[in-house]
Amino acid sequence: MNSYLDSQEKIVRELGSNIEKGLKDHEVIESRNIYGENAFSKEKPISLLKRIIEALREPMIFILVIAAIVTISVNIFKLFNGQHAEFVESIGILIAIALSTTITIGMEGKSKKAFEALNKIKENIAIKTYRNGVITLVAQKDLVVGDIILVETGDKIPVDARLLESTNLQVDESSLTGESNSVNKNSKLKIKNMHTPLAERYNMLYGGTFITAGIGKAIVTQVGDDTEFGKIADELKRQDKTTTPLQEKLAKLGKAISILGIGLATFIFIIQLLKLYLSSNINFDTVSETFITSIVLIVAAVPEGLPTIVAASLAINIMKMAKENALVKNLIASETVGAVNIICSDKTGTLTENKMTVVKVFEDSSFLNPEDMKSEKLLKNFSLNTSAHLQTDEKGINNFIGSPTEGALLVVHDKVVDQSYKEIRKASNIVHTYPFSSENKKMTTIVNENDKILAYTKGSTEKILSFCNKVMTKDGISDIKEKIEYIEEQVHYFESQAMRLIGFSHKELVNSHNYENDEKNIESDMIFDGFVVIKDPIRNEVYGAINHCRDAGVGVKMLTGDNLITAKAIASELGIIDKNSLVLKAVTVEAMSDKELEDKIDNIKVIARSTPLIKLRIVNMLKKRGNVVAVTGDGINDAPALKSSDVGIAMGITGTEVSKEASDIVLLDDSFATIVKAIHWGRGIYENFQRFLQFQLAVNLSSVIVIVTTILIGFKAPFTALEILWINLIMDGPPALTLGLEPIRGDLMKNKPTSRNASIVTGTMLSNIVISGIFISVVIILQEVYNFLGAPEASKSTVVFTLFVLFQLINAFNSRELGNVSILKHMVNNKTMLIVFAGTFMLQFIITQFGASTFGTVPLDLTMWLKIIATSLSVFVVGELVKIIRKRINNN
């Protein structure tokens, strides 16, 4: 049923209702059985088991799972055959898996609880409804299709409904359409075009919107999932969240490492099998030992600590971001936001405050700031010729009850006048009122002031000027012809800037009037008192935030439900558009083919009258072109795009429940500037992952080179699986985590965003990894083959193990710099790392000196310790020399 197209009579008849009496009890039950309840069907929560499975499917975690299964299986087989089984390696791998999955699931669960607390369902709204011929209050969940409801100023509409009657009815539909101005509704309007956009269906009421003025009667046509609100909510359930750039990059890296590790392990396994065959030494024990050696190589190649460090680093950083008023619901989003290169932003409530505000007053034919106005007639018009109210919350913020425009006038009145508008209204003798209507676009109130009868009129400035033959100036009352050209010039200027103008006039009535039938005479030959300029002001912090985005290479596109003139004016004021920018209506974009849209999308900066589907199409097209897209919004209409984007950012204060549910990050202060802070944090997190990878891959590369080379030249693998796991997870874990917590550098926002398709390992990083990895490998192999440190026979393996560990610890400091900056520059900035380095060194000392029972180590004397430390410091010297050489090459 197209409720906005059909006649009132047809709709009432088809829904089996009665305009005067509503539904009877049995009809309510029948309607509920046919059309359902007024509630959204809830999405089934993801079970803990499914969340664990999802975490285990991460590439590197999955490799560890396979490695754990293989090692456990081999050792169980040994156990049942009466052979010595060693489960320590298996337990170590399982601990690595458990740590990563626990941190990921735990932190996302914590964020979800915080989000649910933020997003508590509001108390059930009751609405006046005809039932059994009597007006009664019915809870919103109990409303059914066919109910006849009565609405008035301040009501929140919980259903979709066709208007049957309306008087001066205005509705705030910003949460659904993005239109910041209240919409005038008309029950008598007949719409013939079935393609009429939702924002222009003036004979309908929609769920999630608010009545700002007037009264109305309507018949409920849709409830629950069938409402416009419900359709969007349902679409979100079907929409899968796409992978983020970091997930894509880590997946590629994990796949590459997996192929390399498994390939090398297979190669070594075949080589060793061949040796066993040639020496006629093939049996279960030798083959299983060879197999375990191959598993050791896989463990050496895979950075087991990566998933754990990623999860831990993100978890710690989202706690820090929460202190910056950004609640991260999805763990990975705290990094993804740093890669954003395009922000698609709603206007109302995101870039603007979604609160009408008087910015200028034209009083006595000159402009003043609102707080400087003195005109008694204007101020009386503000307080007496309005029907809105102000409601002050516990924070002292004024909320408008009724027309937002009138609310803005009352705010100015109470700032300027000592007596509040409520007291003035109460003390005044109001004789008669001609209420505002969308047809007449004006309102007049007649007041008896000390036996003088005065008429105060307000409305569209053009309408008010047409009523006036005189104008108030600083020198007194003048003929309006002397000023009309100047006034009209000012009016046209502000209207071209998409601002709302309200004109005011007054007149003393000298004769008694029949107020019911004399409206035209009363509203003639009036004195023009001036006008006010009203706008939905841009948030103060947005100007600076947009500039920061521009400097950081982040483009901003505005997708708004507002009209084209308003959208263009706001975008121009913020510097979002330039001479090459395209500012289009949604219908124009809708008519474009995908090819046309793709060709023009870079230049499209503003889309007015945006619908949820248009926003979704734009986001998907931008992602298709390799962009990393963030979407900001607070309305129901923003939700599909929020969910489809790489990072959905919802407003925590003004945002609807649906928009917050669809988002990855919720701004607790509704500040666009917080997005810039989040981007800065995200870039810092990404760089810290690169530092970790630079460090961890050097560990893995050197491990693989040492193991493969020693086996190929006829030596036994120098490390056991447990020692490799210790090196990769325990020893590299704490230092790597401190790399993930490296203080975020202040110049990050001067850099361009990282491309979606860019490798997480840059060319400079790769050269650092290869140089340090090969250098460490060569020194370790020389010690293994030639024992240049002069270690006793019993402690040779212990010296190699300890030297390798200290090499990696020292190399962690090299890994703090991704470019050619000396590590000495920021040496003391990361004090946590210095403490962790000392603690980890002591841990290795304890393992070396006292870990014989578990690791098979032999205690070393002081001289050998000093030799090992001196040798391991050489990797620091090599790292600094490489940077100096690279700088000179670059300079030349």
Side-chain angles (χ1 to χ4, degrees):
M1 185 195 318
N2 291 324
S3 306
Y4 58 95
L5 295 174
D6 296 332
S7 67
Q8 296 174 349
E9 295 77 14
K10 182 182 178 183
I11 292 170
V12 173
R13 184 174 64 254
E14 287 188 358
L15 297 180
S17 190
N18 184 297
I19 293 179
E20 302 301 328
K21 296 182 179 180
L23 297 174
K24 296 176 182 177
D25 287 341
H26 73 275
E27 291 171 331
V28 170
I29 295 169
E30 288 174 9
S31 177
R32 189 173 288 122
N33 289 336
I34 297 171
Y35 300 103
E37 295 185 339
N38 188 35
F40 298 151
S41 54
K42 293 183 179 179
E43 192 173 3
K44 189 177 178 181
I46 301 172
S47 67
L48 179 61
L49 179 61
K50 189 172 180 182
R51 287 163 65 197
I52 291 171
I53 292 169
E54 286 296 316
L56 294 176
R57 286 174 61 188
E58 289 293 323
M60 274 169 273
I61 290 287
F62 186 69
I63 294 169
L64 290 181
V65 171
I66 299 299
I69 292 169
V70 171
T71 55
I72 290 170
S73 301
V74 169
N75 282 294
I76 289 174
F77 186 85
K78 284 184 175 182
L79 191 66
F80 278 101
N81 284 276
Q83 297 171 308
H84 175 69
E86 182 59 78
F87 287 97
V88 178
E89 294 97 335
S90 307
I91 292 169
I93 296 172
L94 290 173
I95 289 171
I97 295 167
L99 275 173
S100 178
T101 52
T102 301
I103 292 170
T104 301
I105 293 168
M107 285 310 301
E108 288 188 352
K110 187 175 180 182
S111 286
K112 192 171 189 300
K113 285 181 181 177
F115 166 69
E116 287 170 353
L118 173 77
N119 200 23
K120 277 186 179 176
I121 297 172
K122 296 178 176 65
E123 291 180 353
N124 208 1
I125 301 165
I127 195 162
K128 292 178 184 174
T129 309
Y130 277 105
R131 289 274 177 92
N132 301 308
V134 179
I135 296 176
T136 183
L137 286 174
V138 175
Q140 67 171 28
K141 65 181 178 61
D142 295 326
L143 288 172
V144 297
V145 170
D147 266 328
I148 306 296
I149 58 174
L150 301 174
V151 295
E152 59 187 9
T153 302
D155 284 347
K156 181 177 180 180
I157 308 302
V159 291
D160 290 357
R162 170 66 187 271
L163 280 168
L164 302 174
E165 298 173 12
S166 61
T167 305
N168 308 320
L169 192 63
Q170 295 182 7
V171 181
D172 177 357
E173 294 184 336
S174 60
S175 66
L176 191 61
T177 66
E179 170 66 72
S180 57
N181 295 326
S182 290
V183 179
N184 294 312
K185 295 292 183 175
N186 185 349
S187 61
K188 296 176 182 177
L189 182 69
K190 294 180 180 179
I191 298 174
K192 297 180 180 179
N193 183 2
M194 68 179 297
H195 299 297
T196 302
L198 188 143
E200 296 172 14
R201 297 174 193 170
Y202 302 123
N203 58 6
M204 291 290 296
L205 298 176
Y206 290 105
T209 63
F210 291 87
I211 306 295
T212 58
I215 58 174
K217 179 192 280 190
I219 181 168
V220 177
T221 54
Q222 283 87 23
V223 295
D225 291 337
D226 294 327
T227 62
E228 293 297 325
F229 195 138
K231 288 174 187 175
I232 295 173
D234 185 59
E235 186 63 32
L236 294 178
K237 296 172 193 170
R238 305 166 194 258
Q239 196 174 315
D240 293 327
K241 188 69 180 176
T242 53
T243 56
T244 68
L246 180 64
Q247 287 171 323
E248 291 165 8
K249 290 172 183 179
L250 290 178
K252 286 179 184 176
L253 183 65
K255 187 177 180 181
I257 291 172
S258 303
I259 292 170
L260 179 65
I262 293 169
L264 280 171
T266 305
F267 173 70
I268 291 298
F269 183 60
I270 292 170
I271 292 293
Q272 288 186 306
L273 277 181
L274 189 59
K275 283 183 179 181
L276 290 173
Y277 174 75
L278 293 174
S279 63
S280 302
N281 193 26
I282 289 187
N283 56 54
F284 178 79
D285 286 341
T286 56
V287 171
S288 63
E289 188 177 341
T290 300
F291 188 71
I292 291 293
T293 302
S294 301
I295 293 295
V296 167
L297 190 57
I298 293 175
V299 172
V302 175
E304 294 86 357
L306 180 58
T308 308
I309 297 305
V310 168
S313 179
L314 290 174
I316 291 167
N317 279 294
I318 67 169
M319 288 189 274
K320 291 181 179 179
M321 288 177 72
K323 293 178 182 177
E324 299 285 345
N325 291 312
L327 175 65
V328 180
K329 290 172 53 195
N330 179 12
L331 205 63
I332 203 79
S334 62
E335 179 281 329
T336 307
V337 71
V340 164
N341 70 316
I342 291 181
I343 299 174
C344 293
S345 178
D346 181 30
K347 177 188 78 70
T348 307
T350 304
L351 299 176
T352 65
E353 296 179 3
N354 196 19
K355 180 168 281 191
M356 290 296 179
T357 304
V358 177
V359 292
K360 285 288 179 186
V361 177
F362 186 77
E363 175 187 301
D364 294 338
S365 296
S366 61
F367 285 101
L368 299 171
N369 291 323
E371 59 271 18
D372 297 325
M373 66 179 296
K374 295 182 174 61
S375 169
E376 182 185 344
K377 292 294 186 287
L378 273 177
L379 290 166
K380 278 287 180 68
N381 211 325
F382 287 8
S383 60
L384 299 178
N385 193 30
T386 49
S387 58
H389 289 275
L390 299 180
Q391 189 176 64
T392 306
D393 62 22
E394 63 275 6
K395 295 181 181 177
I397 298 172
N398 284 315
N399 295 311
F400 302 162
I401 307 299
S403 165
T405 303
E406 290 188 350
L409 300 178
L410 296 179
V411 168
V412 173
H413 178 279
D414 282 8
K415 280 183 180 177
V416 175
V417 181
D418 292 335
Q419 202 174 8
S420 76
Y421 79 90
K422 291 178 183 176
E423 294 171 325
I424 290 176
R425 279 184 190 173
K426 190 174 181 181
S428 296
N429 181 8
I430 295 176
V431 178
H432 189 76
T433 296
Y434 301 113
F436 178 88
S437 71
S438 55
E439 292 82 13
N440 295 327
K441 298 186 184 303
K442 51 82 183 174
M443 175 179 179
T444 298
T445 298
I446 299 168
V447 184
N448 187 335
E449 293 183 13
N450 301 319
D451 296 328
K452 285 184 179 181
I453 307 297
L454 293 170
Y456 293 104
T457 301
K458 78 169 191 303
S460 71
T461 312
E462 291 86 350
K463 174 76 75 173
I464 298 301
L465 283 170
S466 70
F467 294 159
C468 299
N469 59 5
K470 294 182 177 62
V471 60
M472 188 67 73
T473 69
K474 291 179 181 177
D475 301 321
I477 298 173
S478 302
D479 192 305
I480 200 166
K481 292 177 183 177
E482 299 173 11
K483 294 284 186 179
I484 191 67
E485 187 175 335
Y486 173 69
I487 294 171
E488 287 179 341
E489 186 180 299
Q490 301 307 310
V491 168
H492 292 154
Y493 168 75
F494 284 109
E495 285 181 339
S496 71
Q497 299 301 304
M499 298 192 190
R500 177 177 288 194
L501 272 61
I502 307 294
F504 301 88
S505 62
H506 80 278
K507 175 182 180 180
E508 184 175 345
L509 305 179
V510 291
N511 301 316
S512 59
H513 288 267
N514 177 358
Y515 298 122
E516 295 293 335
N517 302 309
D518 212 8
E519 184 176 354
K520 188 173 181 180
N521 286 330
I522 291 170
E523 294 173 344
S524 64
D525 298 329
M526 302 188 85
I527 299 170
F528 184 72
D529 296 313
F531 63 85
V532 296
V533 180
I534 296 177
K535 66 181 289 190
D536 180 6
I538 295 172
R539 294 175 179 273
N540 290 331
E541 72 277 4
V542 169
Y543 295 96
I546 295 289
N547 288 333
H548 281 308
C549 286
R550 192 180 298 110
D551 294 341
V554 179
V556 178
K557 296 182 186 292
M558 193 167 82
L559 313 180
T560 176
D562 262 321
N563 62 65
L564 192 68
I565 294 173
T566 301
K568 188 174 182 178
I570 295 292
S572 180
E573 186 177 348
L574 285 171
I576 292 174
I577 57 176
D578 56 31
K579 62 181 181 180
N580 298 318
S581 301
L582 292 176
V583 179
L584 305 175
K585 290 182 179 179
V587 289
T588 307
V589 176
E590 196 172 12
M592 288 181 182
S593 66
D594 286 348
K595 180 68 171 63
E596 288 175 311
L597 181 59
E598 188 169 0
D599 290 342
K600 293 181 179 180
I601 197 163
D602 289 341
N603 290 329
I604 295 174
K605 300 295 183 182
V606 178
I607 299 178
R609 293 296 188 203
S610 287
T611 62
L613 289 179
I614 288 294
K615 291 184 180 185
L616 190 59
R617 187 182 179 197
I618 292 294
V619 168
N620 289 335
M621 180 62 73
L622 288 168
K623 287 172 64 178
K624 179 185 173 184
R625 288 175 56 81
N627 297 289
V628 181
V629 184
V631 170
T632 72
D634 64 345
I636 307 162
N637 59 319
D638 301 312
L642 283 167
K643 189 166 184 180
S644 181
S645 65
D646 292 300
V647 186
I649 303 172
M651 304 295 124
I653 299 172
T654 59
T656 59
E657 287 80 3
V658 171
S659 66
K660 286 184 277 189
E661 187 67 51
S663 67
D664 300 296
I665 298 175
V666 178
L667 302 183
L668 302 180
D669 58 356
D670 281 16
S671 171
F672 193 87
T674 302
I675 298 171
V676 178
K677 291 180 187 175
I679 291 173
H680 189 196
W681 271 99
R683 290 187 177 186
I685 293 169
Y686 184 79
E687 271 203 354
N688 286 347
F689 284 154
Q690 288 182 308
R691 292 184 176 99
F692 165 75
L693 280 172
Q694 185 170 266
F695 169 60
Q696 181 78 69
L697 293 179
V699 174
N700 296 120
L701 178 62
S702 53
S703 301
V704 169
I705 291 174
V706 168
I707 293 169
V708 171
T709 305
T710 52
I711 289 173
L712 288 177
I713 62 177
F715 285 76
K716 187 181 177 182
F719 309 120
T720 65
L722 182 60
E723 286 174 338
I724 285 294
L725 201 61
W726 172 264
I727 292 165
N728 281 13
L729 181 62
I730 309 300
M731 288 303 299
D732 292 343
L737 182 56
T738 59
L739 285 172
L741 299 176
E742 182 76 15
I744 292 171
R745 309 279 167 87
D747 58 354
L748 284 176
M749 292 302 282
K750 295 177 183 177
N751 302 335
K752 297 301 178 187
T754 303
S755 166
R756 186 184 202 103
N757 300 320
S759 171
I760 194 168
V761 179
T762 65
T764 304
M765 286 173 61
L766 187 59
S767 70
N768 291 340
I769 292 164
V770 170
I771 290 168
S772 59
I774 290 175
F775 175 77
I776 291 170
S777 303
V778 168
V779 176
I780 293 296
I781 291 167
L782 288 174
Q783 172 58 29
E784 177 74 11
V785 176
Y786 297 107
N787 189 20
F788 65 86
L789 290 178
E793 190 64 33
S795 62
K796 276 185 180 180
S797 61
T798 301
V799 169
V800 170
F801 173 48
T802 305
L803 178 61
F804 190 83
V805 168
L806 292 194
F807 259 136
Q808 306 305 342
L809 274 178
I810 300 298
N811 196 43
F813 287 93
N814 283 339
S815 300
R816 288 178 63 186
E817 299 301 334
L818 299 171
N820 296 325
V821 178
S822 171
I823 66 170
L824 298 173
K825 183 177 181 180
H826 300 110
M827 178 64 80
V828 297
N829 288 7
N830 192 345
K831 293 181 175 61
T832 306
M833 185 172 187
L834 298 175
I835 295 168
V836 167
F837 172 83
T840 309
F841 178 83
M842 287 305 300
L843 198 56
Q844 180 61 29
F845 178 81
I846 293 167
I847 290 296
T848 302
Q849 300 300 105
F850 309 104
S853 60
T854 304
F855 288 87
T857 54
V858 175
L860 304 177
D861 59 30
L862 179 60
T863 303
M864 185 52 68
W865 271 107
L866 292 175
K867 286 180 181 180
I868 291 171
I869 292 170
T871 305
S872 62
L873 285 170
S874 62
V875 75
F876 163 74
V877 177
V878 169
E880 290 297 288
L881 284 173
V882 168
K883 290 171 187 173
I884 292 169
I885 294 168
R886 216 189 268 138
K887 278 183 186 176
R888 289 187 178 179
I889 292 172
N890 290 341
N891 290 337
N892 292 333

